[in-house]
Structure formats: C-alpha cells, structure tokens
Amino acid sequence: MPGSFEKSKPKFNIASLPRLGMNEKDLISDFKHNYSHRLGRDEHCNCLHYAYEALALTVRDRLSERWKATYNAYKDKGCKRAYYLSMEFLMGRSLTNAMLNLGLTDEVHKTLYELGLDLEELIESEPDAGLGNGGLGRLAACFIDSCATLQLPVTGYGLRYEYGMFNQLIMDGDQVEEPDHWLRNGNIWEIERPEYTQTIKFGGHTETYIDEKGHERVAWVGTQDVLAVPYDTPVPGFQNSTVNILRLWKASATEEFNLGEFNAGDYAESVAAKNTAENITMVLYPNDANENGKELRLQQQYLLASASLQDILEHWVGRHGQDFSRFAEKNCFQLNDTHPSISVAELMRLLMDVYGLGWDDSWAIVQKTMAYTNHTLLPEALEKWSVGLMQRMLPRLMEIIFKINADFMSQVSAHWPGDFARMGRMSIIEEGGEKQVRMAFLAIVGSFSVNGVAELHSKLLRQDLFKDFSELWPEKFNNKTNGVTPRRWLAACNPELASLISEKIGDGWITDLSQLQKLAPYAEDAKFRKRWHAVQQQAKQNLLDYKKEELGLDFEVNVDAIFDVQVKRIHEYKRQLLNVLHVIHLYNRIKSGDTANWVPRCVLIGGKAAPGYYMAKKIIKLINNVADVINSDPDVGDKLKLIFLPNYRVSAMEKICPGADLSEQISTAGKEASGTGNMKFMMNGAVTIGTLDGANVEIREEVGDENFFLFGLTEEEVTEMREHYNPMAIIDADEDLKKVIDLINCGHFNRFEAGIFDDIIHSLASPDDPWMTVADFRSFIDAQRRVEIAYQDTERWTKMSILNCAASGKFSTDRTITDYNNDIWKLTPVAVKGG
Ligand code: 26Q
C-alpha cells in the first residue's frame, strides 16, 4: 500500500486546550492581553468602550469553551432537541448575566478594581439588545436562560435586526422615536457563521415534474433568492457549564442576483437590489399588536422559518442521511405566537420538494413536531395575510396551505356533517371580501399542542377564541403559565435583596425558586423586617439617583412616599388612563384640602407607544402634561409626584423593579394574556394592585387575598356589562370621577394646546369604550385607599412585601420550562462536564 509506511500527518486538534482560569490573576492577564493585542489599544486610549470590550472578550472566551463542551455533549448523546422559533428575543445586556452564570462576578469585581476601572461604568456602557417589543420578546429571552440552566438542548432561532426597538425621547411631552442602531460599535457576544448560510426563495412560480423514481414532484422556480447568514450568541446556564445557542439570521444578497444585473450593465440597479435583500432584517416592527399586511413583515417571517428549518434539516441529514423515520421523535418546534407559523407549510415544502417525502409522511412529521403558543386574546390582533400577497411572494407555500385546508375541511365536515357555518368559521382561508390566511388556524391545525400563557388566558382560548377547535381537538389545548428568570430578575438586578435572602435561606433559590417559601416565617421577625425595609428604601433611593441624573428632575422626591409603578407598553387595554385618573383624583383632593392622614405617593409610569398608535401617543402626552402641572404646584409639594420614565427597556426595568412598592396591573379583565412585569415586581417584594386578569389571578392565589389589592370587574362581569354600558351615567353618579373628567375637559392640563385631549375624553365617555375604564374607577380608588392604609403601617407593609417575594416561586421560568418540557418537548437534560 503506497504511503502506508509514511508517518501519518498530525490531526488538527485544539480540543486538548486547558480551560481558562477563573481567578483574578488569569482574568487580569487575559484582560490586558485582550485590550492590548486583540483590540490594539494602550493605556493612552482611556476609552470606556475598549475596556468594556476587553472585559467582554475575557468573559466570552470562557463561555466559548463551555459552548464547545455543550455541543459535544449533545452530539455524543444524540439527544432529542427543541427549537424556540421567535421573531423577537429581547435579550437586554449580556455582560452581568454572563458573569453571574459563570460564577465570575466577585473575581471580576476584584480584577477591575486592581486595574483601576469601574465595573459599574463598563456595565452601563453596553447597549441593550432590544430585539423585541415587550412581553413576548422578553419571555423568549427568559425561556432560553432557563433552558440552559435546566441543561435542556434547546436552540433559539430568531432574526438579527440591524435596528432594534426604537429609542423613545420625550419632547414637549410627546414621544419622539429615534432609530436604535445597536450594532454601531460592534457586538462582542455574537459570532458570524457564514458556513451555515441558507438560501431563501421569494416570488417565481411552481412547476410539476416526474422524478427519477417516477413520482410527481413540485419545483419552485424563477425565484429571487436571498441569503440568510447566521450569527450565534452564547446562552449560558447558571453555573453548570451548559452554554446553548441563540442563532439569529441576517438577510444578505446572493452573488448571482447581483451578477445578473451587473452583466446587463446596470451596476447601480444591482447595488439597489442588494439593498432590497438586506432590508429584510433591517428593522424590528415596533408594534406589539398586528400591523396588518406589510409585505416586508411577511418576508421577515418566511426568512426566519425557512432558514431555521433548512438549518435543522441539513443537520439531520448530515447525521442520518435521508432517513426521516425518527425525525419526529428527535425534534420539536415551539412557535412563539403565529409570527413563525408559516413554518407549518415550510416544513411540508422542504420534506416533500427537497427531500422527496410524500404528503402523508410529511404531514405526520409536521403534526408531531410543531407546537404553538398564543399570546393574545384580542381578536383584532390575530394575524391574517392576504391570499393574493402569499400567492405572489410564496406561491409554493400558498399551494400547500390550500391543500392543508382542503384536508382539514373534510375532517371538519366528517365531524359535523352539514354544519357549513362551522366550516366557514374554522376554515384557514377566510372568505368574503379579500381572501385571507388565518395564521392562528394554520398553527392550530399543524400543531399537536396549543397553549395559552396563564390559566385564565388558556381557559378563554378554549371557551371563546378557539372554541370550535377545542371541541374538535380538546387534547391539543393546554396552559403554560409564564414566568421570568430569577437570575436576571432578582439575583443580578437586586444583589442587596438577593444576599439578604441567601443569608437566611441559602442560595438554592437561584435555581429552585420555590425555596423562597422558606422566607415566609421571617415576615414575623421584626429584626428581619427592619433589614428588608432598609434594603427596599435603599433600592428606592438608587432608582431616584439614577433617574434624577437621566431626567434632570428639578424637584425633590420623598423616598418615604409610596413608589407606585406602572411600566409596560402603552396600550388602551392596559389602562394607563385609569392610573392617570387616579393621580388627578389625588391632585383634586390635595387642592380641596382633603389631606388628613395623607400618605405621600410618587407615581412612575413608563412605556413605549407603537409609532402609529394615535391614542397611545395621546396617553403619553396626557401623562407628561399632568406631571408638569402637579410637580410644579407648590400646594402639592411632596404629597404627590408623577414621573414619566422615558425609553423604558430591559436595562431600565433592572433598576426600576427593585425600587417599587406598588405594582400596577390594571388591565380590563380578559384582555391581558398573562403579564410578566407583574412577576418581576412580585419577586422583588412589590405588592400588586390589580384586576382578575392574566397571571394576576395566579399571583393572588399564591400570595393570598390579604397580600394583594384586588379591584375591578371580573371577565364575566365585563362581558355582561358591555351590553348596557353607560359611562356617562357612571360619571354623573360619581362626584370624584366627575371632578376628574371636568378638570381634563376644561383644559387645565393643556392650557395652550386647545382640544388635544378631546379624543381621550370621548373614548372614556363612549358606551363603545372596549376597555370600560370608568366602570372600574370607583373600585380602583377604593383599592388605592386600602393601599395607603396598609402602607402607613410600615410593619404590616413590610410583611406583605416579604410574603410577596416568598410566594413568587411559581413564577420562575424554570417552572414554566419544566412544564413545557414535561408536557410538550419531552427532552432529557444533558449534563456537561465541568458543570
Ligand atoms: C405582529 C404582526 C405584525 C407586526 C407586529 C406583530 C406583533 C409583534 C409583537 C404582535 C404582537 C407582539 C407582541 C405581543 C406581546 O408581547 N404579547 C404579550 O406576551 C406576553 C408573554 O406571553 C404576555 O405576558 C402579555 O400579556 C402579552 O400582551
């Protein structure tokens, strides 16, 4: 045998590298190396940004090692995997979280001190990865954190938007949007993986042909292709050596596309075409409800679905060849709302057209691997796409959807013979007027699991929104109550409270939040209460200091005041207006001298309005105008303050939630799917004032009625009252409410801006007001009075605060993800060596 006596060439092997040190000495040396050699700076640079990058690289290299180890562990086990498909991952900042999860926080503190740097300053210099709107996007981020902590082989798939959620400026009380070019200074946490680029088809038409086995197949041809390039971000588990992946796709032009134009001599056109392709992932849609019909949005959704599924199938074929018989056993897709639900049709297409499976085998795989989570009860927010648009942009997908629907309609008619009304209601294709594809129905038909995100929400899905479907397939429907990750939302954002907790009950709560229950007995311990109260007061001061600087507050705020906080997207159903009505009522009381036993209150409201949402923008303006009047009135002094917190985002919430006394969760019952801000506040010891809506119901169940300020109509009462709703009669019958409405009406808050709040008044007073705000006014005011009485008794309030924290165990995403895994994904945890 020729060459058999030659010395074999050494194999390329870097696996034997020893792990990087986790002590101060190694951290200092790596920091210096990164600063000087990788970034090429010296001590004269004195630039915060490079110090941040050098530290981030030092931390990231340690993640990379564990990432490889995790990859190998999954590969060796050949384990089942799940994929979380989401148009949004609202990750926020990475540095603090990475240090905490690597167990490096203390060593890094010492390291930076030695180097004469301020860690806090470096942390603050990191921009938020704001690749989401709100609850749904942040939930995805908390989920992948918990998956890594629970050692579950789960990959997040999303889009790498060049521009994330806009930055909100307030000018003359109005929201002004500023683009968020978060990648301007690079992104240390991502690694480009051009070798896994996928090609995505758009346009063109379909043709049938007979393949080499004599089967009829479909080819989708004449398409304009776009490339999807993946960027991977590490997702570390809590001190367990697991590092999972978040893979985000960036759209990019194909070579051929440009070349064709170039050959025709039109260089400028070819560059323009390149832009069209790259536009697809340019910007996040800043709408937390459906923005109907936008072509670019559908392109985004399809790019995510197609790139992710091709990636996963290629990986499968790389290991198993074209044998898909065990694919469904080994893979599961969780669809984060309907946004990625075109995946149902795309998986059919790939299995049939690319891998040559038949319809039935493909459909069996789809129905065994897809699971859908719904996040809204507002019928107007359900996604629909016009059939015409789909036929033009995704002709092959539209054919597949028609066939899925035809098969489904036969099933419905077999189940309910002759019930044509029901067939019309359930059809994936909505008839009458312009034909539309109902994406939620496509997702339900294609999935084996459909879940809501809180008990009440899931119940209402079954009883109202998806009633026909739950009658046909009761076994598909289930609930998975949301949660939040206790690493970011307690351990990292509130280290003072976290260490007080750990001092009493140990630190097992960080990965088993039910252990917080052990705090409950300490609510009776006066010494402990005193310390708890001191920590909370300090957190309030921190919030003020931080905000004072940012807001340029020109008045004093009393830290002994109730810090009454509502931060979330601005939406009529969330009823920031009800909050403002209460503030104006307090103002009226002060002005009329009704201030016996007054309890000072500082109301903080923050949130972004969708740029095209007229009423939401009016609400922001009203809050700011009311704040101006109240905060500058010497009669009011520190009895009452109203502050609008601009540019609310993940990193802002990390400072806000430790400093809240009262958490406002005041949506119209039956409208908020779950809420997750409510959970962050509770975990940090705030007490909730809330309606029986979303997860509030379960929060109250956990903490007990005596530690929760309940008010408002129930969902049934709302539905019942809607029939004969008469807000004018309610206003006329309530002296206080009438005074509030009159004060807005007479222009007290818009002296030189005539008429700007007319639409707000009209909506409040309209019998068609879907949010029925004034119906809950009296009950809200009464509940706020109960809050004041409780707050006046510091011992009693502190007890409530401790008990809220103690009862928040259920609202960890570790519990949520355990439920998803037990009921839907059925993955086996994989331990990674060194963890
Ligand atoms: C859809 C189509 C076109 C453009 C935008 C959208 C779009 C984008 C984002 C629609 C909805 C969203 C986000 C929805 C959302 O955040 N919902 C919230 O999800 C939380 C997590 O489950 C719940 O706690 C909240 O109750 C729910 O409002």
Side-chain angles (χ1 to χ4, degrees):
M1 238 197 288
S4 61
F5 295 107
E6 280 173 27
K7 190 168 170 256
S8 66
K9 200 172 150 206
K11 226 177 116 206
F12 179 58
N13 177 15
I14 53 168
S16 53
L17 260 179
R19 277 208 180 170
L20 296 170
M22 305 291 277
N23 55 56
E24 189 185 341
K25 188 167 147 275
D26 289 323
L27 292 171
I28 292 182
S29 128
D30 286 357
F31 180 96
K32 288 182 176 170
H33 168 81
N34 288 329
Y35 194 82
S36 135
H37 291 67
R38 274 163 105 174
L39 300 172
R41 314 286 143 172
D42 63 18
E43 64 274 21
H44 304 300
C45 166
N46 193 21
C47 176
L48 200 66
H49 173 67
Y50 294 108
Y52 162 75
E53 288 210 326
L55 175 60
L57 284 168
T58 306
V59 174
R60 193 195 75 185
D61 289 344
R62 283 153 176 84
L63 291 176
S64 299
E65 298 175 323
R66 289 157 181 79
W67 185 350
K68 264 178 252 156
T70 306
Y71 176 85
N72 288 327
Y74 293 167
K75 203 170 82 182
D76 294 347
K77 284 259 160 34
C79 50
K80 181 177 185 183
R81 288 162 180 255
Y83 310 94
Y84 199 74
L85 269 46
S86 176
M87 291 283 285
E88 307 191 4
F89 284 90
L90 193 41
M91 300 295 286
R93 291 175 176 153
S94 290
L95 179 59
T96 309
N97 188 247
M99 293 190 305
L100 174 73
N101 284 9
L102 282 169
L104 272 181
T105 309
D106 292 346
E107 291 299 300
V108 170
H109 257 282
K110 289 191 266 172
T111 300
L112 288 216
Y113 180 81
E114 279 307 310
L115 290 165
L117 289 166
D118 180 359
L119 177 57
E120 210 45 48
E121 239 187 322
L122 299 194
I123 289 170
E124 286 297 310
S125 77
E126 180 180 355
D128 276 38
L131 307 186
N133 273 283
L136 164 149
R138 184 54 230 176
L139 186 75
C142 286
F143 274 12
I144 55 177
D145 177 276
S146 281
C147 290
T149 293
L150 293 165
Q151 305 183 309
L152 296 174
V154 176
T155 302
Y157 275 104
L159 296 180
R160 181 181 177 275
Y161 303 105
E162 197 78 27
Y163 291 85
M165 188 64 201
F166 64 82
N167 280 311
Q168 177 193 56
L169 308 176
I170 300 297
M171 292 171 129
D172 292 329
D174 279 313
Q175 166 174 298
V176 174
E177 300 92 21
E178 187 185 67
D180 163 43
H181 197 189
W182 71 293
L183 292 167
R184 184 174 340 233
N185 297 318
N187 175 12
I188 283 288
W189 302 103
E190 68 182 12
I191 293 180
E192 186 181 351
R193 289 301 193 77
E195 66 275 27
Y196 298 125
T197 297
Q198 297 294 345
T199 303
I200 314 300
K201 294 171 184 254
F202 290 102
H205 62 276
T206 62
E207 288 172 0
T208 53
Y209 67 100
I210 305 295
D211 71 9
E212 61 284 0
K213 290 189 192 137
H215 298 139
E216 188 174 274
R217 300 266 292 266
V218 179
W220 180 6
V221 296
T223 52
Q224 293 192 327
D225 297 348
V226 172
L227 299 180
V229 183
Y231 287 70
D232 290 351
T233 300
V235 181
F238 182 74
Q239 300 181 6
N240 63 1
S241 282
T242 294
V243 175
N244 283 338
I245 294 181
L246 170 60
R247 177 161 283 187
L248 302 179
W249 300 99
K250 176 194 162 114
S252 160
T254 58
E255 304 280 343
E256 303 83 47
F257 198 79
N258 292 339
L259 202 65
E261 300 281 348
F262 191 70
N263 286 343
D266 207 337
Y267 177 73
E269 284 292 309
S270 86
V271 176
K274 188 172 154 67
N275 277 334
T276 315
E278 295 185 350
N279 267 342
I280 294 179
T281 52
M282 196 55 68
V283 59
L284 165 81
Y285 275 89
N287 232 311
D288 64 343
N290 206 345
E291 185 167 314
N292 243 326
K294 292 274 169 21
E295 264 192 64
L296 182 63
R297 170 80 180 180
L298 184 56
Q299 290 174 341
Q300 293 185 336
Q301 296 186 347
Y302 182 62
L303 186 129
L304 168 63
S306 184
S308 309
L309 292 171
Q310 289 188 59
D311 193 39
I312 293 158
L313 290 179
E314 240 169 51
H315 183 87
W316 177 267
V317 170
R319 302 208 67 199
H320 304 88
Q322 306 250 343
D323 177 5
F324 286 92
S325 56
R326 301 192 64 192
F327 183 82
E329 252 172 70
K330 292 284 187 182
N331 295 282
C332 186
F333 305 97
Q334 192 71 43
L335 307 176
N336 198 16
D337 216 301
T338 51
H339 316 156
S341 62
I342 190 71
S343 300
V344 168
E346 177 65 0
L347 184 54
M348 288 299 288
R349 182 186 78 82
L350 293 169
L351 291 173
M352 295 188 301
D353 298 359
V354 178
Y355 294 107
L357 273 65
W359 178 277
D360 292 344
D361 289 343
S362 303
W363 187 239
I365 288 176
V366 168
Q367 281 202 317
K368 276 185 223 156
T369 53
M370 294 275 166
Y372 157 57
T373 305
N374 171 285
H375 297 265
T376 185
L377 280 162
L378 310 180
E380 67 271 23
L382 292 181
E383 263 193 305
K384 288 175 196 167
W385 290 104
S386 104
V387 168
L389 171 60
M390 281 233 186
Q391 275 169 329
R392 257 181 295 122
M393 191 192 298
L394 307 169
R396 177 61 179 137
L397 283 292
M398 196 59 242
E399 284 176 7
I400 292 171
I401 294 171
F402 276 135
K403 163 93 168 111
I404 292 173
N405 195 44
D407 290 356
F408 172 56
M409 284 292 102
S410 331
Q411 234 183 307
V412 173
S413 113
H415 201 276
W416 289 288
D419 192 345
F420 300 110
R422 200 186 289 253
M423 284 175 69
R425 287 203 306 270
M426 295 181 79
S427 173
I428 297 171
I429 312 295
E430 183 179 87
E431 312 273 344
E434 202 194 0
K435 280 193 197 169
Q436 309 258 345
V437 183
R438 296 159 162 164
M439 298 309 276
F441 293 6
L442 177 64
I444 297 172
V445 173
S447 299
F448 67 92
S449 163
V450 177
N451 76 279
V453 289
E455 289 288 354
L456 174 65
H457 171 228
S458 299
K459 183 188 103 180
L460 294 172
L461 285 184
R462 282 185 289 246
Q463 291 180 354
D464 300 337
L465 206 55
F466 301 144
K467 185 163 187 281
D468 292 316
F469 290 89
S470 88
E471 284 173 15
L472 181 60
W473 293 312
E475 69 289 349
K476 278 196 191 186
F477 286 79
N478 65 92
N479 173 251
K480 296 286 167 283
T481 299
N482 282 166
V484 303
T485 169
R487 267 74 63 189
R488 183 176 297 257
W489 297 113
L490 183 52
C493 76
N494 201 347
E496 293 79 13
L497 197 67
S499 69
L500 178 58
I501 295 169
S502 296
E503 189 189 308
K504 288 293 169 197
I505 66 168
D507 62 8
W509 59 270
I510 299 176
T511 49
D512 172 12
L513 205 66
S514 66
Q515 290 188 27
L516 286 181
Q517 202 48 248
K518 294 190 224 159
L519 274 179
Y522 291 98
E524 300 305 321
D525 174 343
K527 275 222 304 259
F528 184 76
R529 281 202 303 269
K530 202 165 163 212
R531 292 182 64 196
W532 186 274
H533 180 67
V535 168
Q536 295 235 301
Q537 288 299 107
Q538 186 56 52
K540 290 163 74 175
Q541 188 61 54
N542 294 347
L543 170 56
L544 270 188
D545 293 347
Y546 160 74
K547 283 295 159 194
K548 246 186 212 157
E549 210 173 294
E550 199 184 273
L551 302 175
L553 297 185
D554 53 4
F555 50 83
E556 283 307 305
V557 178
N558 183 352
V559 273
D560 292 325
I562 304 174
F563 276 34
D564 169 344
V565 188
Q566 185 177 26
V567 284
K568 49 181 79 241
R569 289 301 290 260
I570 310 290
H571 226 291
E572 287 162 285
Y573 83 79
K574 295 178 189 280
R575 295 200 299 193
Q576 281 90 358
L577 267 182
L578 182 59
N579 196 352
V580 177
L581 296 184
H582 172 241
V583 172
I584 298 174
H585 166 67
L586 292 179
Y587 174 67
N588 281 338
R589 279 182 56 199
I590 295 169
K591 294 303 268 186
S592 67
D594 175 17
T595 55
N597 295 319
W598 189 265
V599 183
R601 189 188 288 253
C602 177
V603 179
L604 301 144
I605 305 178
K608 292 174 183 174
Y613 189 171
Y614 172 82
M615 282 303 271
K617 291 187 142 178
K618 283 278 170 200
I619 293 169
I620 291 179
K621 174 70 173 161
L622 177 66
I623 297 167
N624 281 299
N625 278 21
V626 171
D628 278 349
V629 170
I630 291 180
N631 297 340
S632 61
D633 187 330
D635 293 346
V636 175
D638 74 355
K639 288 190 191 65
L640 178 63
K641 288 286 172 256
L642 174 59
I643 299 174
F644 187 84
L645 302 168
N647 205 26
Y648 175 62
R649 60 199 187 283
V650 172
S651 62
M653 184 54 155
E654 289 167 11
K655 301 191 167 77
I656 294 167
C657 69
D661 293 308
L662 187 65
S663 155
E664 299 266 355
Q665 308 300 335
I666 60 180
S667 51
T668 312
K671 298 296 175 192
E672 187 72 89
S674 161
T676 45
N678 46 4
M679 301 168 184
K680 294 164 199 167
F681 282 119
M682 179 196 201
M683 219 171 260
N684 284 273
V687 185
T688 306
I689 182 164
T691 47
L692 280 181
D693 200 16
N696 295 351
V697 177
E698 290 155 78
I699 286 179
R700 176 164 164 272
E701 245 164 49
E702 293 296 303
V703 76
D705 186 35
E706 64 287 8
N707 298 305
F708 185 106
F709 295 97
L710 181 68
F711 77 97
L713 301 173
T714 62
E715 187 273 326
E716 287 91 355
E717 289 165 345
V718 166
T719 307
E720 197 277 321
M721 186 187 266
R722 208 181 283 291
E723 309 294 308
H724 50 89
Y725 183 47
N726 185 354
M728 281 315 297
I730 299 174
I731 294 169
D732 286 334
D734 188 322
E735 199 64 22
D736 293 330
L737 176 56
K738 196 166 155 35
K739 271 175 74 181
V740 169
I741 300 283
D742 285 347
L743 198 64
I744 306 175
N745 223 348
C746 77
H748 190 73
F749 303 108
N750 52 322
R751 293 229 171 119
F752 307 105
E753 302 166 296
I756 60 165
F757 298 132
D758 290 359
D759 291 322
I760 287 190
I761 298 282
H762 287 145
S763 77
L764 288 171
S766 162
D768 299 322
D769 172 19
W771 325 113
M772 296 171 61
T773 304
V774 308
D776 279 343
F777 176 81
R778 178 47 50 192
S779 157
F780 185 52
I781 300 301
D782 292 346
Q784 291 285 18
R785 275 308 265 266
R786 299 200 302 275
V787 167
E788 284 159 13
I789 292 164
Y791 189 80
Q792 257 173 335
D793 179 351
T794 305
E795 297 300 326
R796 176 174 165 211
W797 186 271
T798 308
K799 249 185 231 179
M800 291 174 82
S801 170
I802 296 168
L803 291 175
N804 264 273
C805 175
S808 68
K810 174 174 178 186
F811 306 105
S812 165
T813 34
D814 298 345
R815 189 272 313 149
T816 311
I817 290 298
T818 303
D819 291 350
Y820 273 89
N821 193 42
N822 289 340
D823 301 345
I824 304 173
W825 305 340
K826 304 187 191 296
L827 310 173
T828 311
V830 177
V832 177
K833 266 215 281 284

